[in-house]
Amino acid sequence: MNKLIAVSLLVFIGCHKKENNKLNQHNPAQSEEIRSLEVINFGGKFGVYSRISINHDSVHYSHKINTEPHKMEFSQKIKAEDWKNIINKIDLNAFRNVTEGKSLQPMDGIDTKIMIISNKDTLSKINAYDNPIWKSILENVHQYHQE
């Protein structure tokens, strides 16, 4: 009988520790953190596709025109403070509420998409040129592509 009680007690303690570890590992109150930011342009008569992607340590750029066989790509490092400057200017809740604009492709235009990838979600908005939040992010990203 004592052995049964001792085994039951050990099983209970082991299960209780596992449950506490699970609770400590999964923290739903963890704040949302931006992991990367992308600006993608696509469309036009020649099928243009370009992508600027910025993360905590680098900027990646690629450009392709469907009528040409070559693709241009490059990457460069950025400073940690540059990354912080970029993401500190972004209000994710405000970006979620941005209203997208109409596609420019029917007029042989190029659409622009801003995509923000966080530890919790992926947000994207297309052609919101009339929105100051969207426009600010676009200008900020293009600043790092031109360097």
Side-chain angles (χ1 to χ4, degrees):
M1 177 85 166
N2 286 339
K3 286 183 183 181
L4 182 59
I5 293 172
V7 170
S8 297
L9 186 59
L10 287 174
V11 169
F12 175 76
I13 291 171
C15 289
H16 185 69
K17 282 185 180 180
K18 283 182 185 177
E19 197 62 35
N20 281 342
N21 284 342
K22 284 181 186 176
L23 290 173
N24 289 336
Q25 288 173 356
H26 179 67
N27 182 1
Q30 179 185 17
S31 65
E32 191 165 15
E33 178 183 310
I34 297 174
R35 300 281 167 91
S36 69
L37 175 64
E38 297 185 12
V39 172
I40 302 166
N41 296 298
F42 53 95
K45 182 178 180 181
F46 298 108
V48 172
Y49 176 85
S50 67
R51 180 177 158 263
I52 303 167
S53 177
I54 303 175
N55 62 30
H56 73 282
D57 69 349
S58 57
V59 176
H60 306 277
Y61 176 78
S62 63
H63 181 83
K64 170 83 172 131
I65 297 176
N66 286 338
T67 59
E68 296 179 10
H70 303 291
K71 180 179 184 179
M72 181 178 73
E73 293 185 74
F74 73 85
S75 296
Q76 67 185 37
K77 297 285 183 189
I78 62 170
K79 298 174 186 168
E81 59 264 19
D82 289 339
W83 172 245
K84 286 179 185 174
N85 283 334
I86 293 169
I87 63 171
N88 286 340
K89 293 177 183 176
I90 299 172
D91 179 342
L92 287 173
N93 289 326
F95 186 76
R96 278 185 179 87
N97 296 320
V98 167
T99 302
E100 294 182 307
K102 293 182 180 180
S103 175
L104 303 176
Q105 288 189 37
M107 298 176 287
D108 196 29
I110 295 174
D111 288 338
T112 301
K113 176 181 187 178
I114 295 177
M115 191 162 58
I116 300 173
I117 296 112
S118 76
N119 58 329
K120 293 186 176 186
D121 203 0
T122 298
L123 307 168
S124 67
K125 301 291 179 173
I126 298 175
N127 297 339
Y129 290 102
D130 293 336
N131 186 288
I133 295 162
W134 191 89
K135 226 167 141 175
S136 171
I137 294 170
L138 184 65
E139 290 169 358
N140 203 14
V141 168
H142 281 278
Q143 158 188 322
Y144 288 91
H145 166 8
Q146 296 170 358
E147 290 182 346

